Structures are given as C-alpha cells and as structure tokens.
C-alpha cells in the first residue's frame, strides 16, 4: 500500500527532528517481530518457518537470523513446492539455505503430481487446494510441527486484518475467525494440545512499504524476478504471464514476446502476473509502488473469485 | 502524485531516508457502528490515499450490495472484513489498519463498541498509546461512552481524543459540541488522561479529519490527523528503571551465554550493574550483542542479547533489572482483572498465569469487588462472567518478579489461561504486591494463636485427610482424635458429610458450589487453628487446586496433608454408603473416581497405603508424626 499523502510532499521541511533515543517505526517493527520469533522458539516443542521465497519470507528469515544471533535459528525452513514455481525462485531458495547454513525441508504433494494436477488442467482454485493447501497440511502433520511461521501481513487483505499474531489451528488445520483467542500486550498464548498448532505471523503489523524499506535499509537479498529485465511473456485475459519453461500450453497463434517486466509478488508462474516496468533498483521499485494504483494481491489470480474468498481459503487451512 | 513522479532517483532516495525516520503511533478507535467509527477509518484511509483502484472497485460493488448510504461509497464496508460482519453490519473483532502521513506511521486498532465486546476493546487498547473515542453529536455522551472511557483508562491509556462525529447533522453547532465536551470532562476527570483533545468532525464528509471543515470556522484546534501527527505520547519509558524479561538463553557454544529479550523500560550500557530480580544475584553487563555488531547502548523497546561478566543462574522467565531499583518479588498480588471467557471465573480454581515471559500456575483467592463498566459502581461478587471487570487478589504457585502496571506495562500485565481448554480467559493488571503475613494477620491481638495452643501443650494445625470415598478417611481421623484426646490434646473433626448438613447446606454440587464448599470448610478450619486446636478435616477434596486453597489459608507448617491411598477397586468393594453402586448405575453425577477425576497429591506430608496396614496402625503413624514434628509437646 502507499502510505504517503502525496499532495503534501512540500511539507517535509517541517518534519520534527527525532531524538536519537526514540526508535523509528521500522526499528519498532523489527523489535516486535524478533520478540515474536523468540517467543515461539522458547515456547513450542517443534516449530518450523514456512519459506515461500518471496520478499516477505526474505524479511522474515532475516529477522530470524537477527533474533538468535550468534546462534542459528533453532528451527528448519519448510517450502511447499508445487513444482510450478519460477526456476529462479528455486535457485534462490537453495542458495539461501546453503548460504545461511539452515535446514530446508521441501515438500511436494506427490499424489497431486501423479494425478497430473496443474494450474492449466484443473483451474487455479482446485490446483491451489491440492498442491498448496493440502500439501501444506500434509507436511505439517507429517513432521508434527506445533507452530509454523508465515510471512502474511495484515495490510494485504481484509480477513488478514483481523487475524491474531498467534493464530490457533485445530487438528484439521482449520481457522475459526469467530473464535480467536484474545491477544493482549506482548503476551502470546502458545498452549496447544497434541495435534493442534499455531500459525505465527511475525510480520502482521508491517505494510508493503515497510517491507521494501527494510530490504533497502538492511540490504536483504531477494529473488531477481522483482527487478525489471527482458523476459518472455504471453498476454492472457489482460495479464502478462511469463513463459518460464515449456510446460505452458501455448494457444494457437500465441508466441512469447520479450518484454521489460518484473513481478510485484511471486508464486506459481502460471498464476502470477508480471507488470511492465523499467525499475531495476530498489528505490525505483519503491517509487513505482508508491505511484501504483493497484494493490499487491491483484497480481495473484486466486483472490479474484469474490471479495471474501481469502477468508474461505484461510478457514480451510491456506496460509 | 506528480510531485513524486518528478523526483529524480537521488532526490527520491533522500525522500525514502526521511520516511524511514518516521515515528510510530498506535491508537485505537472506540465507538459503535452508529457513531460512524468504521466510516471514520475508511475516511482516514481514503483521505491519506491508501485505497487502490481494485479496492475502490470492490468497495463500490459492495456498497451497492450491502451499503446504507444510498449512492455514496459506504466506507464502513471497507473495514468490516469478515463475512458475518458485512452481512450483519457490525464489527465483531479487533481489526488492525495502517496508514501514514509525512510525519508518522499509524497502526489503528479498530474495536467494536457493544458491551459484549468489552474484551475485544481491551485487546485493542492493550497495544495502543492513544484512544479516539467517538460520540454521535446528536446523542451526546451515552452509557457506552462512559464504558469506553473506563476501559481505556483501565488499560492505562493516557491520551484521548473525543471525536464528536456527525457534527453536520446538528448544523455544525458549537453549543452542542461545547455541551458534550463539558459533560465528558466532568465524568472523566478521575481517569488520569494526560492529554485530552475534543474535535468536532464529520467522517462522512471529511470535515476536520485531514482537512479543516469549512463550516467549523469557530473551532480553532487541530484536525484529527494534525493532532495524531503531533501529539506527544512518549511515556518516558527510557527514564524508568531498567527491566528485561528474559525470553531465551542463547548458547551457541561453551564460550557464549547470552540472555535474549526485549527491553521493557530504561536503558543499558556495557559495565552497568544488573540484578536477577528473583534470586537477587548481581553482575555487570559485558556486551550488548546484536546481529549488526555490539552496541554501546540499548533502550526500551529494543530486542537485544546481553552477556554478563559473571556466571550466574538465569533462565527464561527471569527479569534482569537495574540493581538499584528492583521490581517486587512475591507470590501474591492485588490486580484488576477483565474476564474474557464464557466459562465463569471461579476463585480457588488453578489457572496458568503468564506475566512477562514467565508462566506459573495461580488462582484468584478473592474477588474484592467487581466494577460495573457502565456506572463504575463497585459490586460484591462470587464469580466473574464474560466481559466483567473486578479487583482481585491473586496467589501464585511460586514467587515471581513484577511491577505495578501503572509503572510498567510489560512487567505488570498478565494473561490467564485455562489449563484444560488452553484458552486465554482473562487479562490482568497488577496493582501492588501482597505478602503472605500481611494477608493473614489482619488484626493484631494480644492473645495469639501460639499462646492459646501452648496453653494446651500443642501446636495448632490442620490435618487434612484426602482420598476416595470409602478410602477410610473418617475411620482413621476418628481413631487419631481418640488417641490425641487420651493424651489430653484439644482437637476437632470437620467431616465432609456433617458440614454438608449444616454450614454448607445451601450449597449444591456445581463447580462454583464445590469451590465455595471447600472454601468455607478451610476458613472454618483456619478459625479453629487460630483457637489453638488440632483440626482433623476429612474430605474427599479431589482437586489439587482445592487442597492448595486450604493450604494457602494458613501459615507455613500449619497444614498437614494426609493422602489416604486406597485403590479404586478396594474402595468400591467396601462401598460403605452404597454410593459407588449408585454412581455405576448413573444415579450420581460427577462421582469422584467414577465420573469425575481424583487428582493424586503430589507431595503429601503423609501417605497411607490402606492395603498394607490396619486403620489402627495408620492412626498411630499420624500421632507419631505429630509427636516427632512437635505438634504435641
């Protein structure tokens, strides 16, 4: 989101100088997230960090490195691989785990693969259910994780705005929005019975701009797909879809074109729309974002069905 | 927008750097949907240009479907996120919103206003520095305004904006505004607000939200956004004594032992002397370790890792404190408690209590009074229901370090967790610590318990027999009394069945009554102890929490727990009163051992295995215990 009142740019001469003691909003957000991550490590038996390779995951992982320094984070990373992620994402994922020396668990719904479920053959909704939501639930159950970090933010979507930082899940991984535990101060309730779990969202109070500013300030590595480059794309229903490999069935007369594009959000390549952009540096990306008039998730095809679709997905166990 | 587009990259990088230095204000909005709260938040997002095209489109679509303002965009629909809320037009849960201006970034806790959502409001208030309390100019101060202000004050918020909304519907009248403000000032005088800013506004038309209202020329104060941007809510956290609740002990290798946590108050530098609050051990800070390198100083709000110059025992739940100004350490305190569960609070029942990074078991020993959130009246109460607020005494299973909530929110706030359901059922704020002695000894008397007891040649105590029905408690207690009597000692027996016929005949078998039953027996036993007697209490008392309640009432060494350990099948085969048979037939509900659990004592002073000795022999053992421990002189 764009949290600037752009009409008043001329006013910043008057911005009051802050005393050096006072923490800036970014430092306060950072401290809050580190506090949350440490609480999870201290209170849960077997936590895991969901790592989706996107910019939010990069920030979350960076915060985890900070929280336990000079130790390593005392939990593994889990990536639910649908087999349709951009190749550059997978490269970045493996390189990151190697660079930081962290355990990485990659889980794929092999049954779904065997059944030939793809975003092209089964539609985005069924595909997401099987290859993402079901796969995630199966992985959490298989390893017996009692807490799972996710990088979701409250500013992304309306139902997320009401989700707790420690968000309780039943044995079937379901979320009940009307029956959430009260969450006060910094006192998080980490109690679960066997089989139950908590999804933890350390970035709940960050906005998209905060994320980008923090990446800039801390020099956090992100997948190169966020930066503009010439890449092969086809245009479908007004969306630019990158031809990342030859599994995408081209329609008659459709030929991939090289365009200067980048991504504002990353997911499965057939479901993630690119934007045409010349932004090759972080400041350019941030400026572009501030000028943009379309919100982030509009680039994801799964939210379009109706305005309450995310709440439904979340109830069923989607992150 | 043009201004931004024309900035070159260098100027823009500058601009970002300035933006990065903004401060953060967290505030909550309270008011019911009729006051226009959601509309106000929608307006704030709209006026600060936080709506994107796709969101606007979706909003227009929803406005036509569910909207209540005709052709206009219904801003309320923007913020009522959950399906049920959109359908019912109410705000059920706390939602968090984000916006920013050139000066500050804001996190808004958007909380529902109805009385049944008191807990949600308290939740939003717990993380806020300021409250925007909305009133409808047509209705003025209502009961709910008083309630909102009370909760805001209870949660320690010191900065309040009174937003007199819908001023357009009273012709932008200054008289109406002044009257509402005067009335508010009067009842809120005792709430301890440091700043109070009343603002007349119209959320629907945007008057005095971001920009001034053209028809409100008579109002000379700031607009809402101007005030939020500039109000000073710094709470002087840095000026207070250093506190760091330890979250995690960091031990990557044998040479490094760091204590990780968020600094609640104060500041710390290498070389500073610190103490561990509970043990009193002291050391000095060697380094403030962070991922970005060691720091010369860290302040309240920062998440850091400290290393010390001495090897002292510190673990999660300990509080590192300034050596000069330490928190209280006690196992009892007085507190304000907000109840958040459909299941009532039962004094005497054990709950988990999380304060800072420490979780212990504990109980409410006494409800001093509950407070009507609407009238602020103090009322007597035996239990607390959902959304009720009370002043209570809390007793914990072990001493912990804490401060008064008014001095330190991080070390003075706690949550109450139900041990069976794991739900968060209450939220509390410590008022002050209590010491056991001051709690028991409420009136100094010349003739004391000790003098009464010594005249009888004994030390007064409760001998508490617990065990299954039919285990032999009463039989053994009777034999013990006979033996003590023949030795010339002064005793009295309180038996479960007998007490039920008299003192407790008004009580049934609900959870609340059971706890009250035990409480009365324990209090009576305590009075007999005070009279210098050896009191023999024979009571199934299946729950540890109940026995704990009795133990806590009397002094150290005055409670002797005797576990009459008879296996269920043996007790059932005896069945002296035919109760097991009835229970097996389903004629008695909640029968201990059959349909209700018996929690075995963990550390009884005496355990009697009734399958290996006669009642006579066991009574003898108890008398021997009393003798060798100087209860019988």
């Amino acid at each position: 989101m764009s949290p600037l009142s752009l009409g008043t740019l001329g006013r910043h001469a008057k911005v009051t100088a802050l005393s050096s003691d006072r923490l800036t909003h970014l430092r306060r957000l950072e401290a809050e997230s580190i506090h949350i991550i440490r609480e999870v490590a201290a209170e849960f038996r077997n936590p895991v960090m969901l790592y989706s390779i996107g910019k939010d995951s990069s920030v979350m992982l960076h915060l985890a490195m900070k929280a336990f320094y000079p130790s390593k984070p005392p939990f593994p990373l889990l990536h639910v691989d649908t087999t349709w992620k951009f190749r550059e994402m997978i490269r970045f994922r493996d390189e990151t785990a190697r660079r930081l020396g962290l355990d990485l668990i990659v889980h794929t719904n092999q049954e779904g693969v065997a059944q030939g479920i793809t975003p092209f053959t089964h539609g985005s909704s069924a595909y997401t259910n099987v290859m993402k939501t079901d796969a995630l639930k199966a992985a959490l159950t298989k390893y017996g994780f009692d807490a799972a970090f996710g990088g979701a933010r409250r500013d992304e979507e309306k139902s997320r705005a009401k989700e707790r930082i420690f968000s309780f899940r039943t044995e079937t991984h379901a979320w009940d929005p009307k029956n959430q535990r009260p969450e006060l101060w910094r006192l998080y309730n980490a109690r679960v019975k066997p089989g139950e779990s908590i999804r933890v969202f350390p970035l709940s109070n960050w906005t998209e701009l905060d994320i980008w500013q923090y990446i800039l300030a801390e020099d956090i590595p992100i997948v190169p797909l966020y930066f503009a480059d010439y890449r092969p794309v086809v245009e479908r229903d007004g969306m630019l879809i990158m031809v990342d490999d030859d599994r995408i069935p081209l329609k008659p007369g459709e030929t991939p074109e090289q365009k200067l594009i980048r991504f504002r959000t990353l997911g499965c390549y057939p479901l993630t729309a690119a934007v045409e952009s010349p932004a090759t540096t972080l400041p350019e990306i941030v400026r572009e974002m501030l000028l943009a008039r379309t919100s982030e998730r509009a680039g994801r095809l799964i939210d379009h069905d109706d305005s309450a679709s995310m709440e439904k997905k979340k109830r069923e166990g989607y992150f | 927008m043009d201004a931004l587009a024309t900035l070159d990259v260098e100027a823009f990088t500058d601009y970002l750097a300035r933006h990065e230095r903004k401060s953060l204000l967290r505030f909550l909005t309270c008011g019911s949907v009729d006051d226009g709260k959601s509309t106000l938040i929608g307006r704030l997002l709209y006026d600060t240009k936080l709506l994107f095209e796709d969101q606007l489109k979706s909003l227009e679509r929803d406005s036509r479907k569910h909207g209540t303002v005709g052709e206009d965009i219904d801003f309320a629909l923007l913020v009522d996120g959950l399906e049920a809320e959109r359908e019912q037009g109410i705000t059920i849960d706390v939602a968090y919103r984000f916006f920013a201006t050139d000066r500050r970034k804001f996190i808004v806790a958007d909380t529902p206003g109805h009385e049944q959502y008191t807990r949600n409001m308290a939740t939003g208030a717990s993380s806020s520095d300021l409250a925007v309390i909305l009133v409808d100019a047509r209705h003025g101060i209502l009961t709910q305004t008083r309630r909102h202000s009370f909760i805001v004050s209870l949660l320690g918020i010191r900065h309040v904006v009174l937003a007199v909304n819908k001023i357009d519907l009273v012709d932008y009248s200054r008289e109406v505004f002044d009257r509402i403000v005067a009335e508010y000032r009067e009842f809120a005088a005792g709430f301890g607000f440091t700043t109070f800013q009343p603002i007349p506004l119209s959320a629907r038309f945007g008057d005095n939200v971001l920009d001034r209202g053209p028809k409100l020329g008579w109002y000379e104060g700031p607009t809402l956004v101007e005030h939020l941007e500039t109000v000073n809510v710094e709470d002087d956290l840095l000026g207070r004594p250093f506190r760091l609740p330890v979250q995690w002990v960091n031990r990557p290798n044998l040479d490094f032992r760091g204590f990780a946590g968020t600094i609640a108050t104060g500041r710390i530098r290498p070389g500073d002397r610190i103490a561990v609050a509970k043990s009193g051990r002291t050391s000095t800070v060697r380094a403030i370790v962070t991922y970005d390198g060691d720091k010369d100083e860290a302040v309240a709000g920062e998440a850091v890792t400290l290393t010390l110059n001495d090897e002292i025992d510190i673990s999660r739940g300990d509080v590192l404190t300034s050596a000069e100004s330490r928190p209280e350490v006690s196992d009892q305190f007085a507190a304000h408690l907000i109840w958040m569960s459909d299941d009532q609070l039962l004094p005497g029942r054990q709950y988990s209590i999380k304060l800072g990074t420490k979780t212990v078991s504990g109980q409410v020993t006494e409800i001093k009074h509950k407070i009507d959130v609407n009238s602020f009246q103090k009322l007597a109460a035996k239990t607390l229901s959902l959304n009720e607020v009370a002043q209570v005494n809390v007793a914990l299973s072990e001493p912990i370090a804490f401060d008064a909530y008014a001095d330190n929110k991080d070390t003075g706030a706690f949550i109450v967790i139900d041990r069976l359901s794991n739900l968060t059922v209450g939220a509390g704020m410590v008022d002050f610590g209590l010491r056991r002695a001051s709690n028991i000894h409420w009136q100094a008397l010349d003739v004391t318990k000790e003098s009464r007891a010594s005249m009888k040649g004994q030390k007064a105590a409760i001998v508490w027999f617990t065990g299954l029905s039919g285990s032999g408690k009463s039989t053994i207690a009777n034999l013990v009394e006979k033996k003590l009597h023949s030795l010339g000692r002064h005793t009295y027996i309180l038996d479960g069945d007998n007490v039920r016929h008299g003192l407790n005949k008004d009580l049934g078998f609900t959870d609340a009554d059971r706890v009250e039953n035990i409480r009365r027996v324990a209090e009576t036993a305590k009075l007999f102890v005070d009279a210098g007697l050896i009191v023999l209490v024979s009571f199934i008392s299946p729950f540890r929490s109940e026995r704990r309640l009795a133990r806590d009432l009397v002094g150290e060494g005055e409670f002797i727990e005797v576990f009459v350990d008879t296996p269920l099948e043996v007790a059932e085969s005896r069945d002296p009163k035919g109760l097991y048979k009835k229970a097996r037939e389903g004629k008695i509900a909640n029968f201990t051992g059959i349909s209700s659990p018996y929690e075995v004592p963990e550390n009884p002073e005496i355990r009697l295995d009734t399958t290996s000795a006669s009642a006579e022999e066991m009574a003898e053992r108890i008398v021997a215990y009393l003798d060798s421990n100087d209860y019988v002189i």
Side-chain angles (χ1 to χ4, degrees):
Chain A
M1 290 208 179
S2 152
L4 292 169
S5 50
L6 300 173
T8 56
L9 264 180
R11 232 168 58 181
H12 41 74
K14 278 190 272 174
V15 171
T16 38
L18 297 165
S19 76
S20 57
D21 282 338
R22 177 101 186 235
L23 300 182
T24 63
H25 73 282
L26 275 184
R27 293 301 149 201
R28 278 181 70 174
L29 289 172
E30 177 189 67
E32 179 186 64
S33 301
I34 289 175
H35 184 88
I36 292 162
I37 293 169
R38 285 172 174 170
E39 279 298 284
V40 171
E43 293 232 8
F44 288 92
R45 188 178 40 79
N46 188 19
V48 67
M49 181 168 275
L50 269 292
Y51 180 65
S52 73
I53 322 173
K55 63 185 193 306
D56 302 292
S57 272
S58 291
V59 167
M60 181 165 65
L61 182 54
H62 184 74
L63 290 164
M65 294 301 292
K66 284 195 165 193
F68 302 104
Y69 178 84
S71 295
K72 294 269 163 61
F75 42 74
L77 305 180
L78 170 65
H79 179 233
V80 174
D81 192 347
T82 58
T83 73
W84 290 93
K85 301 293 172 190
F86 292 92
R87 285 174 300 166
E88 274 193 81
M89 289 173 73
I90 300 301
R91 216 164 25 238
F92 182 86
R93 176 195 75 188
D94 295 341
E95 190 185 293
T96 300
R98 205 168 34 242
R99 177 170 51 88
L100 302 177
L102 300 175
D103 289 338
L104 170 72
I105 299 169
V106 177
H107 184 89
T108 298
N109 184 349
Q110 295 300 347
E111 221 174 293
V113 173
Q115 287 168 3
I117 292 175
T118 76
F120 301 110
T121 50
H122 290 72
S124 73
S125 176
Y127 160 79
T128 302
N129 256 334
V130 175
M131 296 307 290
K132 287 177 84 172
T133 309
D134 288 354
L136 170 65
K137 290 195 279 192
L140 294 177
T141 304
K142 177 179 171 191
Y143 295 97
F145 294 122
D146 53 355
F149 291 103
R153 309 185 317 265
R154 284 172 173 158
D155 79 329
E156 283 177 71
E157 195 274 334
K158 281 190 284 191
S159 72
R160 287 212 200 278
K162 304 207 169 186
E163 187 157 9
R164 303 288 184 257
I165 290 173
F166 273 46
S167 188
F168 179 80
R169 292 295 188 279
T170 63
E171 271 181 78
T172 57
H173 305 284
W175 179 57
D176 180 0
K178 283 188 196 161
N179 197 18
Q180 302 192 75
R181 294 177 178 178
E183 194 166 83
L184 296 98
W185 299 290
R186 289 181 203 161
L187 295 172
Y188 302 104
N189 179 349
R191 297 299 176 95
V192 289
K193 293 174 190 162
E196 297 171 345
S197 62
I198 304 264
R199 303 270 174 99
V200 182
F201 302 104
L203 303 181
S204 286
N205 287 325
W206 295 59
T207 62
E208 189 186 8
L209 178 60
D210 297 330
I211 294 286
W212 282 117
Q213 278 201 307
Y214 191 69
I215 289 170
L216 185 62
E218 298 276 311
D219 202 15
I220 299 171
I222 51 171
V223 182
L225 291 164
Y226 285 111
F227 299 99
D229 204 344
Y230 284 95
R231 298 183 174 100
V233 290
V234 291
E235 192 174 332
R236 288 184 178 174
D237 304 324
M239 308 242 181
L240 292 174
I241 302 297
M242 180 170 156
V243 182
D244 195 47
D245 57 36
D246 54 14
R247 289 182 294 171
I248 176 168
L250 294 178
K251 293 171 184 164
E254 208 177 46
T255 30
E257 260 182 277
Q258 292 286 328
K259 282 193 173 165
L260 188 58
I261 56 152
R262 63 180 204 87
F263 293 86
R264 296 178 57 191
T265 174
L266 292 177
C268 299
Y269 83 81
L271 296 177
T272 309
V275 290
E276 289 195 76
S277 160
T280 54
T281 65
L282 280 171
E284 285 172 325
I285 287 175
V286 178
R287 178 162 67 166
E288 192 176 279
M289 185 204 72
L290 293 177
L291 291 168
R293 301 304 294 159
T294 306
S295 75
E296 186 180 359
R297 296 198 74 88
R300 291 205 185 171
L301 305 185
I302 65 164
D303 282 348
H304 283 254
D305 312 346
D306 69 74
S307 55
S309 70
M310 179 59 85
E311 185 187 341
K312 274 184 203 149
K313 286 200 165 55
K314 287 175 64 64
R315 281 169 189 263
E316 290 157 7
Y318 184 72
F319 238 87
Chain B
M1 229 195 285
D2 294 343
L4 194 56
T6 55
L7 287 180
D8 61 27
V9 170
E10 197 177 316
F12 183 74
T13 309
D14 255 19
Y15 169 81
L16 280 180
R18 270 194 308 276
H19 183 73
E20 209 185 297
R21 289 196 299 268
K22 281 178 192 179
S23 63
L24 176 67
L25 177 71
R26 300 184 69 137
F27 68 95
L28 87 153
T29 53
C30 25
S32 74
V33 71
D34 309 325
D35 297 329
K37 178 174 57 69
S38 296
T39 310
L40 176 64
I41 293 173
R43 168 62 69 180
L44 279 171
L45 300 185
Y46 185 77
D47 281 3
T48 53
K49 305 204 168 36
L50 271 206
L51 293 180
F52 291 105
E53 269 171 24
D54 58 326
Q55 289 175 317
L56 264 180
K57 266 189 208 136
S58 143
L59 180 61
E60 281 166 18
R61 205 170 52 226
D62 284 354
S63 292
R64 282 195 296 275
K65 208 158 130 195
H66 307 290
T68 56
V69 292
E71 289 299 298
D72 292 344
I73 290 176
D74 188 348
F75 291 110
L77 292 176
L78 183 72
V79 293
D80 288 337
L82 301 177
E83 265 181 2
E85 295 180 331
R86 278 197 298 276
E87 284 156 14
Q88 297 164 29
I90 54 162
T91 309
I92 295 171
D93 211 328
V94 188
Y96 295 89
R97 319 281 170 202
F98 307 86
F99 70 100
T101 65
D102 282 354
R103 294 180 172 200
R104 265 189 178 156
K105 174 183 159 134
F106 301 94
I107 299 179
V108 190
D110 176 11
T111 65
H114 298 290
E115 186 164 355
Q116 62 267 38
Y117 301 123
T118 292
R119 68 170 185 173
N120 305 71
M121 215 194 113
T123 301
S126 74
S127 58
S128 295
D129 301 314
L130 176 146
V132 175
I133 295 175
L134 267 99
V135 298
D136 183 327
R138 292 169 302 172
H139 308 311
I141 307 298
L142 299 176
T143 302
Q144 65 168 18
T145 318
R146 297 163 64 88
R147 179 171 69 244
H148 297 158
S149 305
F150 171 72
I151 297 163
V152 159
S153 159
L154 182 67
L155 271 290
I157 292 180
R158 295 284 163 260
H159 307 277
V160 165
V161 172
L162 182 70
V164 180
N165 192 24
K166 305 194 185 180
I167 197 80
D168 52 304
L169 297 180
V170 294
D171 294 330
Y172 299 91
S173 161
R174 179 176 196 161
E175 286 69 35
V176 171
F177 176 73
D178 287 346
R179 197 174 63 235
I180 291 171
V181 173
E183 197 187 331
Y184 187 89
R185 279 186 197 279
E186 200 181 316
F187 85 80
F191 282 166
F193 300 144
T194 321
T195 70
F196 172 68
Q197 180 65 56
I199 303 174
L201 55 83
S202 165
R204 192 172 161 203
F205 297 107
D207 298 308
N208 274 355
V209 177
L210 179 67
D211 300 316
R212 313 207 133 256
K215 292 175 184 162
L216 291 165
W218 51 264
Y219 171 73
E220 289 170 350
T223 66
L224 178 60
V225 170
E226 282 169 0
H227 180 68
L228 294 175
E229 275 186 320
T230 54
V231 61
N232 180 7
V233 297
E234 291 213 42
D235 208 13
D236 196 27
L237 291 176
L238 274 53
R240 298 185 191 198
F242 174 73
R243 299 278 188 271
L244 182 144
V246 175
Q247 280 188 287
W248 195 70
V249 179
N250 195 339
R251 292 223 74 169
N253 55 59
L254 290 175
D255 302 326
F256 187 95
R257 191 151 170 266
F259 306 100
T262 305
I263 300 175
T265 48
R267 52 177 78 221
I268 195 81
R269 292 167 172 273
D272 284 356
R273 253 171 73 74
I274 58 100
V276 183
K278 193 171 159 183
S279 70
R281 306 292 294 273
T282 61
S283 182
T284 49
V285 175
R286 177 187 294 187
I288 303 167
V289 179
T290 76
Y291 180 88
D292 305 300
D294 289 1
K295 297 185 67 152
D296 294 336
E297 184 182 59
V299 299
E302 288 188 84
V304 294
T305 300
L306 300 186
T307 57
L308 305 178
N309 284 315
D310 305 278
E311 280 267 331
I312 52 176
D313 186 26
I314 298 170
S315 50
R316 172 173 168 87
D318 274 321
V319 177
L320 303 186
T321 165
S322 125
E324 289 74 41
S325 179
R326 304 185 189 190
E328 285 201 67
V329 177
S330 174
D331 59 358
Q332 295 189 41
F333 53 71
H336 276 81
L337 182 66
I338 304 169
W339 199 246
M340 302 188 152
S341 168
D342 291 322
D343 294 329
Q344 293 188 327
L345 162 76
L346 297 178
R349 168 162 289 186
Q350 290 288 329
Y351 297 95
S352 290
I353 291 183
K354 184 173 184 182
L355 189 153
T357 56
K358 182 85 179 167
T359 305
V360 295
S361 65
Q363 56 173 304
V364 168
T365 50
E366 188 184 358
I367 299 175
K368 311 276 259 189
H369 54 255
K370 67 180 180 189
I371 302 164
D372 183 317
V373 293
N374 294 321
S375 67
F376 320 147
Q377 271 186 319
K378 295 175 178 177
L379 307 166
K382 282 210 261 180
T383 64
L384 284 186
S385 301
L386 179 65
N387 292 316
E388 289 191 324
V389 177
Q391 206 192 337
V392 298
N393 285 352
V394 175
L396 307 172
S397 57
E398 58 177 288
I400 61 167
F402 57 84
D403 289 288
Y405 182 76
D407 295 333
N408 197 318
K409 286 188 182 181
D410 278 325
T411 51
F414 60 94
I415 54 171
V416 182
I417 300 169
D418 187 278
R419 300 204 298 183
L420 286 178
S421 69
N422 286 330
L423 295 175
T424 304
V425 291
M429 291 137 285
V430 175
D431 295 323
F432 49 85
L434 296 168
R435 301 205 191 289
R436 181 154 301 194
S438 67
N439 219 16
I440 294 166
H441 201 71
W442 68 89
Q443 207 175 342
L445 300 168
D446 289 339
V447 180
T448 64
K449 169 165 64 184
E450 287 73 23
S451 58
R452 290 189 202 99
S454 69
M455 188 186 246
K456 299 174 178 73
Q458 61 194 38
K459 202 162 85 186
I462 298 174
V463 183
W464 189 283
F465 294 81
T466 171
L468 296 171
S469 176
S471 59
K473 297 182 297 297
S474 298
T475 311
I476 299 168
N478 277 316
L479 286 170
V480 172
E481 183 168 45
K482 277 184 195 157
K483 288 177 188 295
L484 290 174
H485 189 76
S486 66
L487 293 169
R489 307 304 170 197
H490 298 251
T491 56
Y492 193 77
I493 288 192
L494 284 171
D495 186 274
D497 291 342
N498 299 344
V499 173
R500 279 267 180 202
H501 290 137
L503 177 64
N504 289 353
K505 71 177 172 191
D506 58 324
L507 299 177
F509 289 89
T510 65
D511 284 348
D513 280 0
R514 269 182 113 118
V515 171
E516 175 61 12
N517 185 35
I518 289 280
R519 190 191 68 79
R520 287 189 200 170
V521 169
E523 289 284 0
T524 307
K526 180 187 165 188
L527 288 175
F528 285 150
V529 165
D530 208 39
L533 302 181
I534 294 172
V535 194
L536 307 166
V537 181
S538 165
F539 236 81
I540 298 174
S541 46
F543 299 114
R544 284 187 198 113
S545 58
E546 299 174 337
R547 301 190 294 262
R548 168 96 208 169
L549 179 148
R551 185 184 286 271
D552 284 351
L553 275 178
V554 290
E556 201 73 35
E558 290 179 350
F559 190 89
I560 301 157
E561 190 169 348
V562 179
F563 174 32
V564 184
D565 190 0
T566 304
L568 179 63
E569 51 285 8
V570 176
E572 191 168 356
S573 69
R574 292 178 193 157
D575 206 8
K577 301 171 202 160
L579 296 174
Y580 283 97
K581 186 161 177 288
K582 282 191 194 160
R584 287 290 182 199
E585 288 163 358
K587 289 178 187 160
I588 306 177
N590 295 328
F591 191 77
T592 301
I594 306 293
S595 45
S596 178
Y598 177 80
E599 295 176 3
V600 171
E602 278 161 347
N603 293 303
E605 275 74 9
I606 302 172
R607 180 181 159 271
L608 301 175
D609 178 356
T610 65
T611 58
S612 67
S614 70
E616 184 70 33
E617 284 168 300
M618 290 182 288
E620 201 52 61
R621 266 187 64 193
I622 292 173
V623 174
Y625 178 92
L626 294 174
D627 190 24
S628 60
N629 288 283
D630 298 330
Y631 290 94
V632 181
I633 303 159

